[in-house]
Amino acid sequence: PPTYLTAPEAGKNAFWTINCCKLLLEFLTPRIPAAGDNNKFKTVDLNAAAAFLNEHCVRGGPKTQKSVNNKLSDLQKIASAVEYLSEVSGMTYTEEYGLNIVTSTESVIWDGIV
């Protein structure tokens, strides 16, 4: 069960932790086929995700369909950037090891990209 620092506060912005993002992705993963190729989740799924996350809220305002959709957009941008940087650098990104820069050559390549 979640540890609540405070209950969701009406009128406050939703506060997103790493755990919130992880829970959001885990909740929506089974619904990806319904989202289609453009990853547009149905409003009912976004509302269900918000309700689920509010049960696991740590602090800040309640999550809404809009805040869930905005966070998904942010996460998709981050994933696209990681994928692009991995492709242009020639390095491989994995969930287990991240970018896994281990050689000085890879470090130089990465430093040149960022």
Side-chain angles (χ1 to χ4, degrees):
T3 302
Y4 294 95
L5 300 178
T6 61
E9 303 169 53
K12 298 269 186 170
N13 289 335
F15 185 85
W16 291 87
T17 63
I18 298 273
N19 191 50
C20 291
C21 293
K22 182 180 175 191
L23 288 172
L24 172 61
L25 296 175
E26 288 173 356
F27 182 87
L28 289 175
T29 295
R31 293 160 175 84
I32 289 173
D37 292 336
N38 60 1
N39 291 328
K40 287 285 210 178
F41 289 93
K42 296 177 181 177
T43 302
V44 67
D45 291 328
L46 297 174
N47 283 328
F52 172 78
L53 290 167
N54 286 327
E55 293 174 7
H56 300 83
C57 187
V58 176
R59 62 180 170 180
K63 289 160 180 68
T64 63
Q65 177 264 329
K66 183 178 178 183
S67 67
V68 167
N69 199 40
N70 289 342
K71 183 53 64 179
L72 276 175
S73 178
D74 293 345
L75 293 171
Q76 287 172 333
K77 288 175 188 173
I78 292 168
S80 293
V82 168
E83 185 177 332
Y84 171 77
L85 292 173
S86 180
E87 287 174 6
V88 298
S89 69
M91 293 183 267
T92 302
Y93 177 86
T94 66
E95 292 295 320
E96 184 176 2
Y97 297 110
L99 197 51
N100 198 26
I101 297 172
V102 293
T103 68
S104 59
T105 302
E106 289 172 336
S107 182
V108 168
I109 292 170
W110 181 248
D111 289 344
I113 290 171
V114 294

